[in-house]
Amino acid sequence: MDSAYLYRVKQQFILGAYNALIAMPLPDPNSPDYISTLLYQARAHIALDDPASALKILPGDSENVAFKAVSALARFIEADEASDKEAALEELRDLSVEIESDDIDGTEKDKALFRVLAGTAFARAGETEEALETLGSETEDLEAVAVIVQIYLSIHRPDLAKKEFERSKRWAEDDLLLQLIESTICLVTGSDSYSDPLSFYSEQIGNPSLSSPRLLTSRGVTRVLRGEVDAAKSDLEESLQQQQDAETLAAFVVATGLSPSKMTDANELWTKFASEHASHPFVTDMTEKDALFTESVTKYTVPTLPVLA
């Protein structure tokens, strides 16, 4: 069982309180919580799109498979060149084979974390089948299940995401991550008017010991989907005051565009967002749809209306 300190660290990570987690003091190096805390802090840096800071705090000479996995994921995300990204993926592929042996440096917990991180890297690289194979179809690691669910939702298979969630309920404790997985599925499927994710995010936001702009963003998105635009904008504005990230900015552009009186503001926000986050899925999707529309228009000729005498 995790100590109270490590439970707090894990809670901060799961709920997206990354800055608060990074600010937590590390335990003594001889503490059994030291390695786990350091790994969570490195992963928090990666989640904040700051892989360089993750690499700075990781021991460069460690043979531990979990440290190697976090380092490889950080280098994959940090890399600009395709060859550098592929080199990081190849390292993870080699380690995927090595962890099956008894000679690898790491506990079973470290190996489970390796699979989560390697699966995350493969998924981000678009290698969906490889990611799912690495994570394991019968895994009983809840973090792996969370990534599997995200992958299924990203390829528009909420049916498989639900199936994976129901399978995990047979062996997983009713903990925070399980609730988050359920809320994420409901957010995509829209079941019960998004009441489950709204309740979950509101409950966690109300926790006085937790400060997570990611939760505010999640509730803001939920409220957009429920048609509660003003309340959504309030959540998103509060989130942006704490942390400027692409996901929240994208949601704020959408919420502003849903306010009829704010179309000028929405257009200005969109132009700024598209120029600063050209590779964001929201921008690439809109660009593709705009190109398809333009192409379709050229295929049709609007007939001239007859002039009435």
Side-chain angles (χ1 to χ4, degrees):
M1 180 178 290
D2 294 336
S3 67
Y5 180 86
L6 192 55
Y7 174 83
R8 171 81 172 148
V9 168
K10 184 178 179 180
Q11 178 193 48
Q12 299 275 354
F13 182 79
I14 289 172
L15 295 178
Y18 302 124
N19 286 314
L21 168 54
I22 290 168
M24 292 178 71
L26 277 170
D28 183 274
N30 294 319
S31 167
D33 294 338
Y34 176 78
I35 291 178
S36 293
T37 303
L38 184 58
L39 288 167
Y40 274 120
Q41 288 188 340
R43 295 171 69 190
H45 280 298
I46 294 173
L48 290 171
D49 198 26
D50 185 14
S53 292
L55 291 169
K56 285 180 182 178
I57 67 172
L58 291 170
D61 57 348
S62 175
E63 292 297 317
N64 181 282
V65 67
F67 281 129
K68 285 187 173 183
V70 178
S71 177
L73 176 60
R75 284 185 279 104
F76 169 78
I77 294 172
E78 184 182 44
D80 293 322
E81 299 294 331
S83 58
D84 293 332
K85 286 186 176 294
E86 186 60 29
L89 293 178
E90 281 301 316
E91 180 180 346
L92 290 171
R93 292 183 179 111
D94 291 341
L95 287 169
S96 294
V97 176
E98 292 178 23
I99 63 169
E100 301 304 325
S101 71
D102 296 330
D103 299 330
I104 197 75
D105 184 353
T107 64
E108 289 303 314
K109 183 178 179 180
D110 294 330
K111 293 178 182 180
L113 177 56
F114 167 83
R115 293 185 180 94
V116 169
L117 297 169
T120 299
F122 295 143
R124 291 187 62 138
E127 302 291 345
T128 301
E129 291 186 9
E130 188 172 16
L132 292 173
E133 182 180 350
T134 300
L135 292 161
S137 60
E138 297 298 325
T139 180
E140 293 194 2
D141 178 74
L142 204 52
E143 276 206 69
V145 170
V147 179
I148 291 170
V149 166
Q150 289 285 353
I151 291 172
Y152 284 144
L153 294 176
S154 73
I155 60 175
H156 311 295
R157 291 301 305 269
D159 56 319
L160 296 179
K162 287 181 182 178
K163 183 177 179 181
E164 185 67 19
F165 170 68
E166 292 298 330
R167 184 187 70 82
S168 67
K169 284 167 60 178
R170 295 198 295 267
W171 50 262
E173 297 179 2
D174 185 22
D175 72 357
L176 202 59
L177 183 53
L178 193 65
Q179 295 175 53
L180 180 60
I181 293 170
E182 182 177 25
S183 294
T184 302
I185 295 173
C186 290
L187 194 62
V188 173
T189 60
S191 58
D192 298 324
S193 300
Y194 307 100
S195 58
D196 281 347
L198 182 63
S199 297
F200 175 75
Y201 297 133
S202 295
E203 179 184 352
Q204 301 306 322
I205 289 170
N207 184 343
S209 65
L210 187 73
S211 176
S212 172
R214 294 295 178 103
L215 286 173
L216 286 164
T217 298
S218 297
R219 189 172 71 175
V221 171
T222 305
R223 284 174 161 169
V224 166
L225 294 169
R226 286 168 59 91
E228 301 168 359
V229 178
D230 289 340
K233 287 183 67 178
S234 177
D235 279 343
L236 295 169
E237 286 171 346
E238 186 177 349
S239 178
L240 287 170
Q241 288 172 5
Q242 298 180 37
Q243 178 180 300
Q244 296 271 331
D245 66 277
E247 302 308 319
T248 307
L249 287 167
F252 189 68
V253 171
V254 173
T256 304
L258 292 172
S259 304
S261 61
K262 300 290 185 179
M263 285 309 298
T264 301
D265 292 344
N267 289 333
E268 291 176 357
L269 286 170
W270 166 251
T271 301
K272 186 174 186 292
F273 179 79
S275 65
E276 295 178 354
H277 303 278
S279 62
H280 190 277
F282 183 28
V283 177
T284 56
D285 184 56
M286 289 293 289
T287 303
E288 289 172 3
K289 285 181 170 56
D290 182 62
L292 285 171
F293 179 79
T294 302
E295 181 184 348
S296 298
V297 167
T298 62
K299 296 178 180 179
Y300 299 94
T301 301
V302 179
T304 304
L305 294 176
V307 178
L308 298 177

